[in-house]
Amino acid sequence: RLIAGGHLGRFVAVPGANARKGITKREDKMQQALYEKYRPKTWAELIGNEKAKSVIAFRREHGGICNEAFWVKGKSGSGKTCIARLIAAEFGDPMQTVEIPGPDLSADRLREVISSWGYCTWSGKPHVLIVNEAHLLTKLMISRFLDLLEQIGRGDLGRVIVLFTSTLKGDKLFEEQLDSAPFKSRCIELTTIYQNAAEPFAKRCKEIAMAERMDGKPLEAYIQLAKDCENNFRMMLETISAGGMS
């Protein structure tokens, strides 16, 4: 089982953690929220987002990703964190991937993360930093990242990938902050887009509901659910968890 370990927010493996609590692996998996349990593990499992996929495919064919920053924005529940984690899993070292909420990222905490970048990873792949809700970074941290992203681009800090995620509303607010334009100009922007996604989302949610024995409605009801939730996949799964489709 993977749990958050240390004050850097990185994930570390803890063998037998469930056993000590008297929880079996199957029970632990059942207790997960559906949106975590069924979070896409591969690009093929990610619904829609063809433009983002094409960007990643292009980079895959032309040397991969290293010493770069990405700004992933989109509606809530549209797969921003999924995309960031998939990039990290493919191009970075999973054991040296740190994920931190933007509001929790202080100068001291960032300094501690950076200190680990001076060491090579066992896999030889880059270190990865994922900053979620990046639109909530303080002005001090925005200023700090301006210099940091320049250093990363030059390769001064070793092999590193930085991934920021932000909601569309948060992105607009972020642009009003000091130095946000120079900040974002140092990032490759990816936007989560789901064109004609209601039916694919509905089919996937019905599959999940059936697997969880929570299904009791026709596909048309799931299509309507997708429209009602504005293609917020997490919200759709939460509705299923609450018995809304049984």
Side-chain angles (χ1 to χ4, degrees):
R1 180 189 176 195
L2 294 179
I3 65 172
H7 55 280
L8 294 184
R10 73 181 53 180
F11 287 89
V12 295
V14 183
N18 290 338
R20 288 195 297 272
K21 297 179 181 179
I23 302 174
T24 67
K25 289 183 179 180
R26 184 172 182 275
E27 289 172 335
D28 183 63
K29 191 172 183 179
M30 290 175 65
Q31 291 173 5
Q32 285 182 297
L34 290 186
Y35 65 83
E36 285 294 348
K37 183 176 180 180
Y38 291 96
R39 186 184 289 276
K41 301 296 190 299
T42 66
W43 290 106
E45 293 177 2
L46 183 67
I47 299 173
N49 282 302
E50 298 307 321
K51 187 173 182 179
K53 288 179 181 178
S54 66
V55 171
I56 300 305
F58 179 82
R59 299 307 302 275
R60 186 184 297 121
E61 295 170 1
H62 293 81
I65 296 172
C66 183
N67 293 337
E68 292 179 287
F70 284 76
W71 182 272
V72 187
K73 63 181 181 180
K75 292 182 178 180
S76 179
S78 63
K80 301 180 298 297
T81 300
C82 285
I83 290 175
R85 290 181 180 178
L86 287 172
I87 292 173
E90 179 175 355
F91 300 100
D93 188 314
M95 297 304 295
Q96 294 298 327
T97 294
V98 179
E99 186 170 344
I100 305 175
D104 295 341
L105 187 57
S106 64
D108 288 341
R109 201 167 189 186
L110 179 61
R111 192 176 302 113
E112 291 176 12
V113 173
I114 295 172
S115 68
S116 69
W117 294 350
Y119 301 92
C120 293
T121 62
W122 283 103
S123 66
K125 291 184 174 182
H127 294 262
V128 180
L129 171 62
I130 299 175
V131 182
N132 290 316
E133 300 179 21
H135 53 278
L136 296 178
L137 286 168
T138 65
K139 290 183 179 181
L140 174 62
M141 292 310 302
I142 292 172
S143 178
R144 178 68 183 91
F145 267 115
L146 280 172
D147 179 57
L148 183 62
L149 294 179
E150 286 284 353
Q151 295 179 63
I152 290 173
R154 294 194 301 265
D156 295 347
L157 300 174
R159 294 167 59 78
V160 180
I161 299 171
V162 180
L163 301 154
F164 303 98
T165 71
S166 170
T167 62
L168 290 178
K169 290 182 180 180
D171 183 64
K172 291 181 179 179
L173 293 174
F174 183 81
E175 290 177 350
E176 298 174 0
Q177 294 199 58
L178 179 66
D179 284 334
S180 64
F183 179 106
K184 291 179 67 177
S185 71
R186 291 164 171 78
C187 303
I188 297 172
E189 285 200 30
L190 296 177
T191 304
T192 57
I193 300 175
Y194 292 103
Q195 295 179 335
N196 303 315
E199 187 169 345
F201 271 27
K203 288 181 177 178
R204 180 55 179 152
C205 280
K206 185 170 177 61
E207 290 174 355
I208 293 172
M210 291 175 65
E212 296 292 327
R213 299 181 180 179
M214 297 178 178
D215 173 55
K217 294 189 177 182
L219 179 61
E220 290 73 17
Y222 287 88
I223 293 176
Q224 186 59 51
L225 176 64
K227 293 177 180 178
D228 292 342
C229 294
E230 297 182 346
N231 291 335
N232 184 323
F233 197 63
R234 181 171 59 242
M235 187 181 296
M236 293 174 70
L237 292 179
E238 288 173 345
T239 299
I240 292 172
S241 294
M245 304 305 289
S246 60

